[in-house]
Amino acid sequence: MKTELNITLIAPGCAITGEIVVDHGVSCFGVLNGGIISTQGLLHIGEGGFVKGSAQGEHVRVDGRVDGDVHARGSLEINGQVSGDIYYSGTIRLGPHASLDGTLKRVARMLTIESEPVDDQSPIAGVPLTAPKAVEREASNVTDISRAIG
């Protein structure tokens, strides 16, 4: 039986600007100027890694630095620096060198932020292939109201 290991690596010296959403694990040792969401697996901000934005994952480990909120749906381990609020619904472990500047809040699993599913057929992540459905508008009653007032 073949087991696939899916992981996205943001290497040292790499700088990315924008939001990242993945459906597998992420290891960040570079700089990310934007938020990051890992819907499954481990979200690891390694030593030297820096995220300027929110970080969310099933299992989150911060050995680097996050300037933004951290959301962990499962386990959370902090050995680095977090400047932002921390929301966790599973277990939490603070290492001897953990530095926190924000609040620590235990929340119900359903209150953690979830990403919306993305259509895998789309050439651009998050952009649906089909056009949005037309929305019916109700007839305006502005004319009727102005007649009643006038």
Side-chain angles (χ1 to χ4, degrees):
M1 182 169 119
K2 182 180 176 186
T3 305
E4 278 189 44
L5 177 64
N6 290 325
I7 190 162
T8 298
L9 175 65
I10 301 172
C14 180
I16 298 174
T17 300
E19 300 285 321
I20 295 178
V21 178
V22 295
D23 63 354
H24 50 268
V26 177
S27 287
C28 177
F29 295 92
V31 176
L32 175 60
N33 190 11
I36 186 166
I37 297 174
S38 172
T39 60
Q40 299 177 38
L42 173 68
L43 168 56
H44 179 218
I45 310 302
E47 283 189 46
F50 175 58
V51 175
K52 188 171 185 177
S54 65
Q56 178 190 330
E58 183 69 28
H59 304 284
V60 179
R61 180 175 177 170
V62 179
D63 292 324
R65 181 175 166 189
V66 177
D67 282 357
D69 294 346
V70 175
H71 301 260
R73 294 182 299 276
S75 62
L76 173 63
E77 182 177 346
I78 301 175
N79 298 306
Q81 301 175 359
V82 176
S83 295
D85 294 337
I86 296 172
Y87 303 90
Y88 69 101
S89 57
T91 60
I92 185 169
R93 180 178 179 272
L94 301 177
H97 302 291
S99 171
L100 305 176
D101 183 15
T103 60
L104 191 62
K105 298 176 184 178
R106 183 171 176 89
V107 296
R109 185 173 174 88
M110 69 181 108
L111 295 179
T112 58
I113 298 172
E114 303 282 338
S115 68
E116 294 181 20
V118 176
D119 184 358
D120 289 339
Q121 302 297 320
S122 175
I124 302 171
V127 178
L129 287 175
T130 57
K133 294 180 182 177
V135 178
E136 289 186 31
R137 296 183 137 198
E138 293 182 18
S140 173
N141 63 355
V142 172
T143 306
D144 295 336
I145 292 173
S146 62
R147 282 187 205 146
I149 295 173

